[in-house]
Amino acid sequence: MKVALSRAGLESIAHQTGEFLHDGKIKVSSLKLRRWDGRSADGPVTPRIVRANEEAGTVTQTYDWGVVHCSYSAVENRLDMIVTVRNESPRASTPVTAQFFLPATFFC
């Protein structure tokens, strides 16, 4: 298995049978931050900065509220991913919902 990264993130997951990746972007689809009055408000879900390090197999997305970091590692015929979400804002957050765009056939 071969994994390739670009400046935008995961670009390719290829194996003997072909390409498996449809869209390799990590997308934060929802985030709620607690306001000063205790109510929740939507947090920004578009990263300000995206950095990929192909040698290290990592992608880091920086948001106004914090960081999403993903490490990729191809081991034989398996792709391992470690995702870390760090809230760096002074406000508490509810769980972050993230999407990873891999086709269903990848998991068969």
Side-chain angles (χ1 to χ4, degrees), residues 2 5-7 9 12 14 16 19 22 25-27 29 32 37 40 48 55-56 60 67 75 77-78 81-82 98 103:
K2 290 188 176 188
L5 298 174
S6 69
R7 282 186 52 215
S12 172
Q16 297 167 342
E19 177 63 40
H22 172 69
K25 294 183 181 106
I26 300 168
K27 182 179 187 295
S29 54
K32 299 278 188 191
D37 61 2
S40 293
R48 287 186 291 116
E55 286 183 20
T60 303
V67 175
V75 180
N77 64 348
R78 185 181 77 229
M81 296 170 51
I82 299 172

Side-chain angles (χ1 to χ4, degrees), residues 23-32 44-47 59 61 63 65 67-70 72 81-86 94-102 107:
D23 180 351
K25 294 183 181 106
I26 300 168
K27 182 179 187 295
V28 173
S29 54
S30 70
L31 171 76
K32 299 278 188 191
V45 294
T46 302
V59 176
Q61 296 180 334
Y63 296 82
W65 50 266
V67 175
V68 174
H69 179 82
C70 188
Y72 301 94
M81 296 170 51
I82 299 172
V83 179
T84 305
V85 179
R86 188 172 62 237
T94 59
V96 173
T97 303
Q99 298 173 343
F100 302 91
F101 295 99
L102 301 174
F107 297 101

